[in-house]
Amino acid sequence: MRPAAPEAATAARTPAGTPAVAPAVTPAGAASGQPPLLRPGDRVTVVSPAGPVSADLLDAGTTWLRKWGLDVRLDPNVLDIHPTLPYLAGHDADRARSFEQAWLDPSVDGVLCARGGYGSLRMVDLVDWTAVTAHRKVFVGSSDTTALHERFWQHGTPTWFGPMIATRAFVEDTTARERLHRALFTGVPSYTGVGMAPGTARGVAVGGNLSLLVDPPPDGAILLLEDVNEEPYRLDRMLTGLLRSGWFAPVAGLVLGSWTGCGDASAVLADRLGGLGVPIVADAGFGHCDGQLTVPLGVPVEIDGATGAVTVGG
């Protein structure tokens, strides 16, 4: 655990054309740089907000965290399995309480998700988000934990979208693991994809897994999207439903990650998203792919839909 900065200590005591650069509308309190970072010696707690966890992968993953010099704690319920719904890591209320208690522990500098699967949507409304987001800490998760990222950025709290600790994406993928380490200890100043729709835009990065997104993004947002194991017609259905509801109206630009197991998703993405008239960067390397990037959410980014550049902060 590191000594608290003065502001952190205070918080701890408080229970199709080419578009021009789009103005950014930043949610209250959003960071103007990177999400919080870690240092050797910091304490992190591993939690299971969604699906059940492999004990072997958890052990292997936490071994790597300790090699990074982190003081690792496991939530007492991290290996729980729901008695009648075995696709959940215990009861909803227990998972919410574990997440909340880990976050509110003043000795903990970061909360890392063990894995996704399914379940975050079931517990997200049971968390006291006002209490949680009064404290600035490291949060890492992806996939199903998009539901948690959504609440964080709604409260102006930046997070890291990256591989989770008790998954093969962390334990067995050296490149993804090293990229997570670099992000958490030094930050991510920029990353690059492929230009898909020209123009530049600046706004707060939000989003995650397409199938988990519920609440509309804030005005002027840069929306990150990825998914896994969804046939193109299912992507079409999800995107069409969001388009019909006006969900994309506030978006200033798009950054598309990986679509592993989704067949050739390029045609449906171009068909459904190309008409928005905003800059789009594709193939940006985050999501369910080999060597996945860890990328920040809840911070300002600028994208160039011609060159594929994504610049963080500033």
Side-chain angles (χ1 to χ4, degrees), residues 92-179:
D92 298 341
D94 291 341
R95 300 196 316 281
R97 183 168 58 250
S98 291
F99 169 78
E100 192 174 296
Q101 289 176 345
W103 194 274
L104 295 179
D105 183 340
S107 74
V108 171
D109 301 296
V111 175
L112 313 183
C113 294
R115 68 161 296 217
Y118 171 71
S120 299
L121 279 174
R122 292 178 54 116
M123 55 74 79
V124 66
D125 294 325
L126 303 178
V127 174
D128 183 346
W129 287 100
T130 300
V132 165
T133 56
H135 307 278
R136 221 38 190 296
K137 300 189 179 189
V138 170
F139 176 75
V140 180
S142 56
S143 192
D144 187 77
T145 67
T146 292
L148 304 181
H149 286 286
E150 189 174 69
R151 288 301 175 88
F152 274 119
W153 56 252
Q154 287 172 346
H155 286 79
T157 300
T159 56
W160 292 104
F161 191 88
M164 293 171 284
I165 304 311
T167 66
R168 287 184 170 81
F170 178 76
V171 172
E172 298 177 3
D173 188 331
T174 302
T175 300
R177 187 173 61 247
E178 290 177 348
R179 286 172 167 171

Side-chain angles (χ1 to χ4, degrees), residues 41-70:
D42 280 353
R43 176 171 293 174
V44 296
T45 298
V46 180
V47 299
S48 297
V53 173
S54 159
D56 289 343
L57 286 173
L58 180 65
D59 182 64
T62 54
T63 296
W64 276 108
L65 296 180
R66 292 186 178 98
K67 288 180 179 179
W68 293 354
L70 296 173

Side-chain angles (χ1 to χ4, degrees), residues 8-9 17 29-30 32 52 74 105 118 138 145 153 160 179 185-186 207 212 214 219 223 229 245 250 256 267 285 288:
S32 58
L74 297 179
D105 183 340
Y118 171 71
V138 170
T145 67
W153 56 252
W160 292 104
R179 286 172 167 171
F185 284 82
T186 64
L212 271 296
V214 177
D219 288 343
L223 178 65
N229 296 334
S245 71
L256 307 179
H288 296 76

